[in-house]
């Protein structure tokens, strides 16, 4: 069996240990010749990488383990590039969340003005990344799950329209499927999902088992009765438990389909704003919680020179998903995943150029998507409005247009008011100097 050479961009991420563990667990079915961690932050990456090096020494010693800040070393002659970068790191995420909150609108990592700001930063680095990868590995698969995935995917589709080996994907649908599995006490892999929408803005309409039975009505009933928690609730910070808890509210108001958790920010912006702490935002929670735990545990692994008994290196939905995606492509398995693709009629009555999120099989020739036909007026209206916001955000970046940036934020359902949008935009421009192009 061929051994693959892969790169993990964003090697200093707190998600890296889980991905590395998934790679060692899949070594028989997805063997690696080489794994390279790449990050622009050498110090941050080094902490995670040293722990990863020990993990691979213990569990996959035949794999060459490298970590670097050199693009040529990272990208030359590789098969898969797995991308999870965070431009600006957590300090900029904190600004993304706190600045909008200070001006009366939701501050959230990927939704609303925070997602807008993050997206404007991510576009530049993702375009640079694709150009760098294509310089050194013209045929490599770029599997991107950099947030905000909707904005990044739209930008890449416009800048690289002929590149058929860029795949944009998000782990939240998988997290939801695993959480439904926990709720129903079944393995989520028994289901063939039907899903439509945009990234962080979609719905499961059906979950069929091999006999054609649809679990969605049963899941709705169970959530209505018992509520909803993530599959890894014991490892989640409180804000995530609250986020999953809101699914019950969304189903009470809009019971047609199972909603993505992020829809709560768009459906209940005033309610969510007043429930959020304008100072101790989720970024603070992550830095004091998950980030602190991960780096302390990495340091403990290095000090002990073993991963034995470590609580850090365990499988998670994020790690398993990205490895299984690469494996399905590499071995032409045509497994079903929820991916982000140019619409082109997949949702029949939504703009063809929108980057929509739907179920698709993945093999050596890329995704083959399952269309969902037309959607009803309410869902079409929500999707078209959100798509307009996303496209205007990308155009604002590519054209350096203040007007389009203002239009984007005015359209966003977490803002709506143009005067608020202008105040937030001006504050974000000031905070993002050096990351955004000049907007005129």
């Amino acid at each position: 069996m061929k051994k693959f050479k892969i790169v993990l961009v964003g090697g200093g991420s707190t998600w890296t240990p889980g991905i590395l563990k998934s790679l060692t667990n899949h070594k028989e079915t997805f063997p690696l010749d080489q794994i390279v961690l790449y990050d622009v932050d050498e110090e941050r990456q080094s902490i995670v990488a040293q722990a990863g090096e020990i993990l691979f020494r213990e569990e996959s010693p035949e794999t060459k383990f490298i970590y670097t800040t050199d693009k040529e070393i990272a990208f030359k002659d590789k098969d898969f590039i797995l991308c999870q970068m965070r431009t600006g790191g957590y300090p900029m995420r904190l600004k993304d969340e706190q600045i909008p909150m200070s001006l009366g609108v939701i501050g959230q990592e990927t939704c609303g003005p925070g997602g807008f700001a993050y997206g404007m930063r991510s576009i530049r680095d993702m375009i640079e990344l694709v150009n760098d990868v294509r310089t050194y590995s013209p045929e490599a698969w770029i599997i991107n799950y950099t947030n905000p995935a909707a904005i990044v995917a739209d930008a890449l589709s416009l800048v690289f329209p002929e590149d058929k080996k860029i795949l944009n994907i998000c782990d939240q649908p998988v997290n939801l499927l695993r959480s439904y599995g926990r709720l129903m006490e079944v393995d989520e892999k028994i289901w063939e999902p039907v899903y439509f929408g945009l990234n962080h803005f979609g719905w499961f309409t059906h979950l069929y088992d091999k006999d054609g039975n649809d679990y969605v009505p049963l899941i709705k009933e169970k959530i209505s009765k018992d509520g909803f928690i993530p599959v890894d609730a014991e490892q989640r910070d409180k804000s995530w438990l609250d986020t999953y808890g809101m699914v019950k509210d969304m189903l009470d108001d809009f019971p047609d389909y199972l909603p993505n958790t992020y829809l709560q920010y768009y459906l209940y912006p005033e309610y969510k704003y007043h429930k959020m702490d304008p100072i101790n935002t989720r970024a603070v929670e992550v830095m004091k919680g998950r980030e602190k735990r991960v780096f302390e545990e990495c340091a403990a692994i290095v000090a002990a020179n073993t991963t034995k008994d470590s609580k850090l290196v365990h499988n998670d939905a994020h790690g398993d998903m990205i490895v299984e995606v690469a494996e399905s492509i590499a071995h032409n398995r045509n497994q079903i995943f929820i991916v982000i693709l140019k619409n082109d009629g997949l949702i029949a009555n939504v703009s063809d150029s929108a980057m929509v999120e739907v179920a698709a099989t993945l093999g050596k020739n890329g995704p083959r998507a399952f269309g969902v036909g037309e959607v009803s007026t309410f869902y079409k209206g929500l999707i078209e409005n959100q798509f307009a916001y996303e496209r205007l955000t990308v155009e604002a970046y590519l054209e350096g247009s203040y007007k389009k940036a203002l239009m984007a934020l005015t359209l966003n359902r977490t803002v709506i008011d143009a005067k608020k949008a202008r105040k937030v935009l001006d504050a974000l421009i000031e905070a993002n100097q050096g990351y955004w192009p000049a907007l005129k």
Side-chain angles (χ1 to χ4, degrees), residues 351-423:
S351 300
D352 279 342
S353 63
M355 294 298 286
V356 299
E357 200 167 52
V358 294
T361 59
L362 288 180
K364 283 189 175 180
N365 296 312
R368 298 182 65 182
F370 299 103
V372 296
E374 292 192 355
V375 295
S376 61
T377 304
F378 177 70
Y379 299 97
K380 172 181 165 58
L382 286 173
I383 291 170
E384 289 283 14
N385 180 85
Q386 181 72 359
F387 164 59
Y389 148 73
E390 292 167 359
R391 176 56 57 85
L392 284 165
T393 299
V394 174
E395 290 177 350
Y397 176 89
L398 295 176
E399 299 170 22
S401 171
Y402 181 96
K403 182 178 79 171
K404 287 193 172 180
L406 180 60
M407 288 177 172
L409 286 176
T410 303
L411 274 177
N412 193 282
R413 284 185 53 84
T414 69
V415 183
I416 299 174
D417 183 277
K419 289 190 181 298
K420 280 186 179 180
R422 186 178 290 275
K423 288 180 181 177

Side-chain angles (χ1 to χ4, degrees), residues 189-429:
K189 292 182 179 179
I190 70 169
W191 291 321
E192 180 181 312
V194 181
Y195 188 90
F196 77 93
L198 307 171
N199 178 245
H200 286 185
F201 203 95
W203 298 263
F204 284 100
T205 64
H206 304 285
L207 293 171
Y208 295 117
D209 68 13
K210 63 181 178 60
D211 297 317
N213 301 307
D214 186 4
Y215 273 71
V216 163
L218 300 174
I219 293 171
K220 288 181 191 175
E221 183 180 342
K222 191 84 168 171
I223 291 174
S224 178
K225 179 183 176 184
D226 301 329
F228 190 42
I229 59 174
V231 64
D232 52 352
E234 294 76 15
Q235 301 159 27
R236 293 277 189 165
D237 295 319
K238 183 180 182 301
S239 62
W240 268 111
L241 301 181
D242 294 341
T243 295
Y244 274 72
M246 279 291 293
V247 170
K248 181 180 184 301
D249 298 73
M250 288 190 278
L251 284 173
D252 287 342
D253 289 332
F254 308 106
D256 295 332
Y257 312 123
L258 293 171
N260 192 301
T261 53
Y262 286 89
L263 281 160
Q264 63 191 272
Y265 298 106
Y266 301 105
L267 296 175
Y268 311 107
E270 288 294 324
Y271 174 83
K272 290 297 296 183
Y273 172 78
H274 290 292
K275 288 287 185 180
M276 299 171 84
D277 187 330
I279 303 300
N280 295 305
T281 65
R282 186 173 281 178
V284 175
E285 184 181 59
V286 171
M287 286 187 283
K288 290 182 176 179
R290 179 181 176 83
E291 184 180 43
K292 184 173 182 289
R293 292 194 303 269
V294 168
F295 281 92
E296 285 179 349
E297 191 62 31
C298 283
I301 288 171
V302 174
N305 199 30
T306 181
T307 62
K308 186 180 180 181
D309 299 325
S310 171
K311 298 176 183 177
L312 178 66
V313 285
H314 63 274
N315 277 42
D316 55 30
H318 183 86
D320 278 342
M321 178 206 72
I322 206 65
V323 175
E324 288 170 5
V325 164
E327 193 172 329
S328 186
I329 292 171
H331 300 312
N332 203 35
R333 290 200 174 138
N334 290 300
Q335 291 176 253
I336 296 176
F337 296 90
I338 310 297
V339 299
I340 305 168
L341 301 170
K342 188 175 180 183
N343 186 32
D344 283 338
L346 295 171
I347 306 175
N349 55 337
V350 166
S351 300
D352 279 342
S353 63
M355 294 298 286
V356 299
E357 200 167 52
V358 294
T361 59
L362 288 180
K364 283 189 175 180
N365 296 312
R368 298 182 65 182
F370 299 103
V372 296
E374 292 192 355
V375 295
S376 61
T377 304
F378 177 70
Y379 299 97
K380 172 181 165 58
L382 286 173
I383 291 170
E384 289 283 14
N385 180 85
Q386 181 72 359
F387 164 59
Y389 148 73
E390 292 167 359
R391 176 56 57 85
L392 284 165
T393 299
V394 174
E395 290 177 350
Y397 176 89
L398 295 176
E399 299 170 22
S401 171
Y402 181 96
K403 182 178 79 171
K404 287 193 172 180
L406 180 60
M407 288 177 172
L409 286 176
T410 303
L411 274 177
N412 193 282
R413 284 185 53 84
T414 69
V415 183
I416 299 174
D417 183 277
K419 289 190 181 298
K420 280 186 179 180
R422 186 178 290 275
K423 288 180 181 177
V424 172
L425 176 58
D426 289 346
L428 291 173
I429 288 172

Side-chain angles (χ1 to χ4, degrees), residues 7 9 75 78-83 129 133 140-144:
V7 183
V9 177
F75 302 134
K78 299 302 187 295
D79 299 299
F80 290 93
I81 314 297
L82 313 181
C83 185
L129 174 87
V133 170
W141 275 95
I142 300 172
I143 302 175
N144 175 55

Side-chain angles (χ1 to χ4, degrees), residues 159-175:
V159 177
F160 304 102
E162 301 306 315
D163 195 324
K164 305 304 181 185
K165 286 194 169 183
I166 300 174
L167 179 69
N168 296 283
I169 193 165
C170 175
D171 68 343
Q172 187 58 6
V174 173
N175 285 326

